[in-house]
Amino acid sequence: MRKPEQELAEIKSMMERSTRFLTLSGISGILAGTYALIAAGIAYTWIYYPEVPYGSNIDKISEDGIVGKLLITSLIVLLLSIGTAWVMSQNNSKKKATKFWTPASKRFILALFIPVAIGGIFCLALVSKGHLAVVAPATLIFYGLGLLNASHFTHNDIKYLGYCQLVLGVISAFLPGFGLLLWSLGFGVLHVIYGAMMYYKYDR
């Protein structure tokens, strides 16, 4: 007969699987960060390279159709990141012999994407009014709020990523000339670090 501790651990594990989305892929986080870093590098060449010193003359963003290019690039990064996370999380669920599309996964997606979607609409409003300097902090802050909201329905580790995004967003609001740098740290570097930690902790 099994020990009571083993039975309790199994019951706890079953309850956790039924209420939390636990098949997030660490590799997808690494790839999402990589996409963001590539996009940030491209944006840097449009905005700053080679004449403009980094952190100055942010008004150059509105020149030569750069805003449109940045919006298209951001949309591509978003779609790539979502697609990668979707496919790799499905593969992860197959490896663990669990269902991917469950009430827990639905709650996770709603908790994450409602703040992110509202933030996206808010950022479009900022762009339309010419408030380009606060777009980067707004994306970081709304994404951070989405992660904190979604942390109730997945691994708790994700909330620390959310806190970091919020901190970077607030800093970026006070340093608009360094918005691209802080954005690349939040969506790029932190995603790579978080994805690697998730991979070594849960996926191996």
Side-chain angles (χ1 to χ4, degrees):
M1 295 180 65
R2 291 182 299 176
K3 295 180 180 180
E5 298 83 14
Q6 292 176 324
E7 293 183 355
L8 286 172
E10 184 175 329
I11 292 171
K12 182 180 178 181
S13 177
M14 291 174 62
M15 292 179 64
E16 190 174 52
R17 287 196 299 269
S18 66
T19 58
R20 289 178 176 266
F21 179 53
L22 302 176
T23 58
L24 280 175
S25 168
I27 297 295
S28 67
I30 295 173
L31 290 175
T34 303
Y35 303 150
L37 289 172
I38 293 171
I42 294 171
Y44 173 84
T45 62
W46 288 336
I47 301 170
Y48 297 109
Y49 184 84
E51 303 94 357
V52 183
Y54 193 86
S56 63
N57 196 17
I58 195 170
D59 294 334
K60 189 177 187 296
I61 297 176
S62 60
E63 298 176 3
D64 303 323
I66 291 177
V67 172
K69 294 178 183 179
L70 292 175
L71 289 175
I72 293 172
T73 303
S74 299
L75 180 60
I76 292 172
V77 170
L78 177 64
L79 293 176
L80 282 173
S81 299
I82 292 174
T84 301
W86 185 276
V87 172
M88 299 202 74
S89 293
Q90 281 190 322
N91 292 338
N92 209 10
S93 66
K94 290 178 182 177
K95 290 179 182 178
K96 296 180 179 180
T98 59
K99 290 184 178 180
F100 171 75
W101 196 243
T102 63
S105 63
K106 294 175 185 177
R107 288 192 293 269
F108 168 80
I109 291 172
L110 283 175
L112 175 62
F113 282 101
I114 287 177
V116 170
I118 295 300
I121 295 170
F122 179 72
C123 288
L124 288 176
L126 291 175
V127 171
S128 69
K129 299 299 182 180
H131 303 304
L132 304 177
V134 289
V135 171
T139 57
L140 288 165
I141 289 171
F142 276 99
Y143 182 54
L145 292 173
L147 291 174
L148 289 181
N149 203 30
S151 67
H152 299 291
F153 307 106
T154 186
H155 299 294
N156 285 328
D157 310 67
I158 202 172
K159 69 183 178 183
Y160 300 111
L161 179 62
Y163 289 137
C164 291
Q165 302 290 351
L166 289 174
V167 170
L168 288 174
V170 172
I171 295 172
S172 179
F174 288 96
L175 299 172
F178 293 88
L180 178 59
L181 175 62
L182 294 166
W183 186 94
S184 63
L185 285 175
F187 286 95
V189 175
L190 286 183
H191 263 142
V192 171
I193 294 172
Y194 169 78
M197 292 174 60
M198 292 289 289
Y199 174 78
Y200 283 105
K201 190 172 182 180
Y202 300 109
D203 293 353
R204 290 196 303 170

